[in-house]
Amino acid sequence: QVQLVESGGGLVQAGGSLRLSCAASGGIFSISYMGWYRQAPGKQRDLVATITNRGSTDYVDAVKGRFTISRDNAKNTVYLQMNSLNVEDTAVYYCNAQVQSKNRAAYQNYWGQGTQVTVSS
């Protein structure tokens, strides 16, 4: 019953900013890894940024200095602040997380439904 719901996508002009949110729900005990991926038309799904439960972050080179990943453990939510957007950032952005539910000991991997980000020139 665990699910990840994404929001915040939309249309923005080059140079603008956008903040994506992903909220996990459904009998959650704990969440370890959380991350953002993106997939452009005709391309594979690529990693954008990750964050651990202790707040350690990693970014793909293409977004370093422009994107910031963060999380609110009390709300089981991960965010992606995107600044200085360019046309190459256009893609469907997906939330990903390793979640331990209250009735199971093992962690399971979950994906959000994806949210469209379109950057116009």
Side-chain angles (χ1 to χ4, degrees):
Q1 296 182 335
V2 173
Q3 64 178 21
L4 276 57
V5 179
E6 305 173 43
S7 61
L11 176 65
V12 64
Q13 291 188 339
S17 298
L18 208 60
R19 190 176 82 151
L20 306 182
S21 299
C22 173
S25 63
I28 296 171
F29 179 75
S30 66
I31 302 175
S32 58
Y33 157 96
M34 299 189 82
W36 289 95
Y37 291 71
R38 65 185 181 184
Q39 186 170 21
K43 303 292 184 179
Q44 67 179 15
R45 188 174 299 185
D46 294 324
L47 178 69
V48 176
T50 62
I51 185 168
T52 70
N53 61 342
R54 296 185 180 276
S56 298
T57 60
D58 282 303
Y59 301 89
V60 68
D61 288 343
V63 307
K64 287 182 178 178
R66 300 189 298 120
F67 291 10
T68 302
I69 188 171
S70 61
R71 63 189 288 173
D72 186 335
N73 291 334
K75 296 181 179 180
N76 291 323
T77 300
V78 62
Y79 306 93
L80 186 67
Q81 178 66 46
M82 304 183 293
N83 299 325
S84 301
L85 286 163
N86 54 59
V87 175
E88 290 71 36
D89 295 317
T90 296
V92 177
Y93 284 70
Y94 296 91
C95 177
N96 178 245
Q98 289 289 115
V99 181
Q100 183 184 36
S101 61
K102 292 182 178 179
N103 63 336
R104 298 182 67 176
Y107 283 86
Q108 290 186 293
N109 187 61
Y110 293 91
W111 288 94
Q113 80 285 358
T115 184
Q116 177 70 50
V117 172
T118 302
V119 184
S120 62
S121 61

